[in-house]
Amino acid sequence: MDPHMSQQNHSNLADTFHALGARYGARSALVSGARSVSFAGLVATSAQWARQFQAEGLKAGDQVGLVLRDSVDTVLAMVAIWMLDAVAVPIDFRNRADERGRLSEEFDLAALLEDRDLSNGAYRSIACDAGWKDTAARHSDAPVERKGTESHPALISLTSGTTGRPLGIVASHRTIQLRSFGYGFEAHYPFEGKFLNAYPLSFSASRNHTIGQLMRGATVCFHPPIFAADELIEKVNSQGITFLFAVPATVKAMLGLSNGTGKPLMPDLKMLYCGGSGMEAHDKLRAWQELTPGFLHCFSSSVSGTCSVLAGADVASHSHTDGRVLPTVRLEIVDEDHTPLPAGEVGALRVRSHGMAEGMYKNRARDTGDKIRDGWAYTGDLAKVSTDGFLTVVGRSSDMIIRGGANVYPAEIETVLQAVPGVADVAVTGFASVEFGEEIAAFVVAKSGVTEGDLAAECRVQLAPDKRPRKFIFLDSLPRNTNGKVLRRELRASLES
């Protein structure tokens, strides 16, 4: 445990869950298939697991990897870790054993909690199997009281690693609590309903909304992470789901099932919360009109928390933006010297807010990615803010193309190509050029009949010459990570290999 990560404030999410257990008792907190765990049962089981962790030598400040397929078990283990004032490090359960070993070394993990031991001696594994659970169930379920004057972070959230090795973003218990409370500033965030969660808890948005909904007395219904859009819609409508989180790729798939009559596909869903990556303006408008009037799109990051929200009437009037900057967020757009820029100019986005992380693990950061500098959270995005307070993210700093000295933002080109009839998906990236430093390529998913000539013609009308793609590559689908983000590095590598 790094000394700089310890804190004197002893507020802990374990206390919050004890309070939730007392308040909501027998109400279902977690549901997965036929399995249901009440709020009181969540706290009791987590206390037993915490004592079993203690028996296996885990203690306050230890960093523990969570690599469990079952999301109910992940929540139980996470709360148990917090009861010990240890630090939870959620890891995608789809990672292979060799990657788990690398992460264990890079993030100084005391142990990895797995479904079965895959370590082969490369790291310490605690297998959360039926036998382990039976042993844990013999312990007392009384509250586990923390000792000592120091407290430790709640989480180390791992970045997706789309631009290199994952980085660790350190978040305190207070930050996670404030992020959960902060959802109340965004829109009519539902209370005491049902949240359908179809994403692994290694994904920070999935985890944050699980905590946020549990803090509001809601039941979190976990859906297997491999799903079709029609499955989610059917479950929302048949099970009285009030809250659904989805990445833009999933929302786009849902829109493919709409008949365009204007009648929402999920009329009783109170909120469809969309985030995790950018979204085309016409898809936002269609989602609001054709999926649910409770559609919301946010811009957020693991290092900053939520920065802006597009919801309600703003979807109709400002769908080309990423929404209004939240009233509790101080957001600036700055130049390369970190000097604030006027409204409407593009620069690096930085934030100070209730939801920003405490720091980067071991101060590791990338120049063009998430980082903390001089008390500001830099998200690694290029953006602009209008005079009336709407944020527009134009792309990642690392995605910007510099062609012959001119800055080219992929999002601008993607918006033009998305408007071509028959185009379903687009990603623009640079690739090495001897003459210009970088050239521009567009990877396009389209219906049959769309030609390179159609795309080039639209670009000639809409874009300046130095922003027009020199290559168009047609694909069946774009490569994406589990969070729905396009893997531009893979696309670029396919051109440069």
Side-chain angles (χ1 to χ4, degrees):
M1 187 74 215
D2 275 6
H4 79 273
M5 296 208 308
S6 64
Q7 304 150 31
Q8 295 301 317
N9 188 319
H10 213 40
S11 173
N12 188 301
L13 283 160
D15 299 312
T16 300
F17 277 91
H18 279 301
L20 291 171
R23 171 67 176 83
Y24 294 112
R27 177 181 295 176
S28 291
L30 308 170
V31 174
S32 179
R35 184 183 183 188
S36 179
V37 178
S38 69
F39 278 89
L42 188 166
V43 175
T45 302
S46 292
Q48 293 173 326
W49 286 26
R51 287 187 167 86
Q52 183 59 29
F53 289 151
Q54 282 181 321
E56 300 198 34
L58 296 184
K59 60 187 183 303
D62 281 348
Q63 287 147 214
V64 184
L66 300 179
V67 206
L68 299 172
R69 181 180 296 271
D70 188 296
S71 292
V72 172
D73 285 346
T74 301
V75 174
L76 295 172
M78 192 157 51
V79 175
I81 288 167
W82 292 337
M83 287 178 174
L84 299 182
D85 200 17
V87 185
V89 186
I91 296 170
D92 192 332
F93 67 83
R94 288 163 288 202
N95 280 337
R96 299 181 308 180
D98 56 347
E99 175 63 6
R100 297 181 187 196
R102 282 192 290 271
L103 292 173
S104 178
E105 182 176 352
E106 290 172 7
F107 293 97
D108 306 304
L109 302 183
L112 272 72
L113 189 62
E114 306 178 285
D115 298 301
R116 58 190 179 91
D117 187 349
L118 299 179
S119 67
N120 196 28
Y123 54 87
R124 185 185 176 197
S125 172
I126 298 176
C128 182
D129 54 20
W132 186 91
K133 293 176 185 177
D134 287 342
T135 301
R138 300 189 187 105
H139 291 290
S140 168
D141 62 4
V144 178
E145 299 299 343
R146 301 182 310 282
K147 299 178 181 179
T149 58
E150 283 190 335
S151 63
H152 301 277
L155 290 161
I156 299 176
S157 182
L158 305 187
T159 61
S160 58
T162 57
T163 55
R165 294 297 302 156
L167 301 174
I169 297 174
V170 180
S172 69
H173 291 269
R174 182 175 290 264
T175 291
I176 301 300
Q177 289 170 323
L178 288 174
R179 286 183 181 183
S180 297
F181 294 145
Y183 289 135
F185 286 98
E186 299 181 18
H188 300 294
Y189 200 72
F191 277 75
E192 299 186 356
K194 288 184 178 181
F195 167 28
L196 180 61
N197 188 352
Y199 296 91
L201 291 171
S202 54
F203 181 18
S204 61
S206 167
R207 190 170 58 244
N208 288 339
H209 286 297
T210 293
I211 296 169
Q213 283 289 285
L214 288 172
M215 286 176 64
R216 287 160 174 79
T219 300
V220 181
C221 304
F222 293 108
H223 190 283
I226 298 175
F227 56 84
D230 58 344
E231 289 181 68
L232 292 188
I233 293 172
E234 190 280 329
K235 187 163 282 190
V236 165
N237 291 331
S238 66
Q239 297 190 8
I241 300 298
T242 55
F243 180 85
L244 176 67
F245 172 81
V247 299
T250 300
V251 173
K252 193 176 187 72
M254 289 179 169
L255 290 172
L257 302 172
S258 173
N259 56 18
T261 62
K263 181 180 179 182
L265 291 181
M266 298 175 286
D268 298 323
L269 182 65
K270 291 184 178 179
M271 182 173 285
L272 170 54
Y273 197 109
C274 181
S277 61
M279 190 173 184
E280 294 297 324
H282 66 279
D283 285 341
K284 297 173 195 173
L285 187 58
R286 285 189 61 204
W288 182 59
Q289 295 170 334
E290 300 175 31
L291 298 182
T292 171
F295 171 78
L296 176 155
H297 186 262
C298 80
F299 172 76
S300 65
S301 78
S302 295
V303 75
S304 67
T306 306
C307 298
S308 66
V309 161
L310 186 71
D314 285 344
V315 181
S317 60
H318 289 78
S319 62
H320 59 288
T321 76
D322 290 282
R324 293 180 188 268
V325 177
L326 293 177
T328 56
V329 172
R330 182 183 177 189
L331 185 150
E332 291 184 348
I333 307 299
V334 298
D335 63 17
E336 292 180 352
D337 296 320
H338 310 283
T339 302
L341 293 169
E345 291 197 21
V346 173
L349 188 158
R350 71 179 187 182
V351 171
R352 281 178 175 165
S353 75
H354 61 276
M356 66 181 285
E358 273 59 44
M360 308 297 294
Y361 188 66
K362 291 186 174 178
N363 292 318
R364 291 196 296 247
R366 282 185 282 270
D367 289 340
T368 57
D370 297 308
K371 61 186 174 184
I372 305 281
R373 177 192 167 97
D374 298 330
W376 290 91
Y378 285 73
T379 66
D381 295 281
L382 297 170
K384 58 184 178 180
V385 177
S386 64
T387 54
D388 52 352
F390 283 85
L391 175 71
T392 300
V393 176
V394 302
R396 298 287 290 173
S397 302
S398 57
D399 295 336
M400 186 175 70
I401 303 163
I402 303 177
R403 182 184 184 274
N407 294 344
V408 179
Y409 305 112
E412 181 181 359
I413 304 170
E414 290 165 358
T415 298
V416 169
L417 293 174
Q418 284 277 6
V420 176
V423 171
D425 213 353
V426 179
V428 170
T429 185
F431 64 97
S433 164
V434 174
E435 184 178 1
F436 293 103
E438 283 187 296
E439 269 295 3
I440 306 165
F443 293 82
V444 181
V445 179
K447 297 177 182 178
S448 60
V450 177
T451 68
E452 181 175 329
D454 298 329
L455 303 176
E458 186 70 14
C459 290
R460 282 196 296 271
V461 172
Q462 301 288 346
L463 297 170
D466 58 2
K467 295 181 180 180
R468 298 171 191 166
R470 269 47 180 183
K471 287 188 177 183
F472 294 95
I473 299 95
F474 289 92
L475 300 176
D476 293 331
S477 63
L478 297 179
R480 296 179 183 273
N481 68 7
T482 55
N483 302 344
K485 295 180 180 179
V486 175
L487 298 173
R488 295 177 194 269
R489 184 173 55 170
E490 289 188 8
L491 296 175
R492 180 171 183 139
S494 71
L495 294 174
E496 297 180 341
S497 59

